[in-house]
Amino acid sequence: MSTTPDRPDQAIRPPREPKETLVGAGPGPTAPPPAHDHRARVDLPEWMRNPTPPRRTPGRLASELLDRLPVLGTARRSLWRWRDRTPDAQSRPVVAVVVFLATTALTIALVGWFFYWLYLSLNDMA
């Protein structure tokens, strides 16, 4: 690399030195290992660094039972898939609105029919 610029607006720069790479990262020069022990940026309390093991609650025992039996584990995963699905109201909003309106109309008709039947029944008694 020459130290004279090719164009007048370019500044003269010294040649670049090769970048250091990590030890064992491949061909090329290797970087020395760090001179100090690494310390975490945040000092965590002891209970967060070494948490106590989970307690043996009835829920955990049932969960372990489900994990031990393949049939129950399959049923559990299918239940999770069903629970995490996208509801039809979100994937098909127009259909959801039509079903809502049809259900509302049917409910109003049934309530109206009930009151009409009640009206006829009470008039027959009089």
Side-chain angles (χ1 to χ4, degrees), residues 20-23 30-39:
E20 293 182 1
T21 58
L22 296 175
V23 176
T30 58
H36 64 281
D37 291 331
H38 176 73
R39 185 169 167 245

Side-chain angles (χ1 to χ4, degrees), residues 55-116:
R55 291 184 301 171
R56 308 275 300 167
T57 61
R60 288 189 197 276
L61 293 173
S63 179
E64 288 175 7
L65 173 70
L66 288 175
D67 289 340
R68 268 189 247 127
L69 299 174
V71 174
L72 295 177
T74 305
R76 180 188 214 188
R77 284 186 293 281
S78 67
L79 176 67
W80 288 345
R81 273 193 306 276
W82 178 81
R83 188 188 57 201
D84 294 337
R85 76 193 190 290
T86 303
D88 288 336
Q90 291 177 4
S91 59
R92 298 176 185 88
V94 174
V95 174
V97 169
V98 169
V99 168
F100 172 75
L101 292 176
T103 305
T104 303
L106 180 65
T107 303
I108 291 172
L110 287 173
V111 169
W113 174 82
F114 173 73
F115 281 117
Y116 179 67

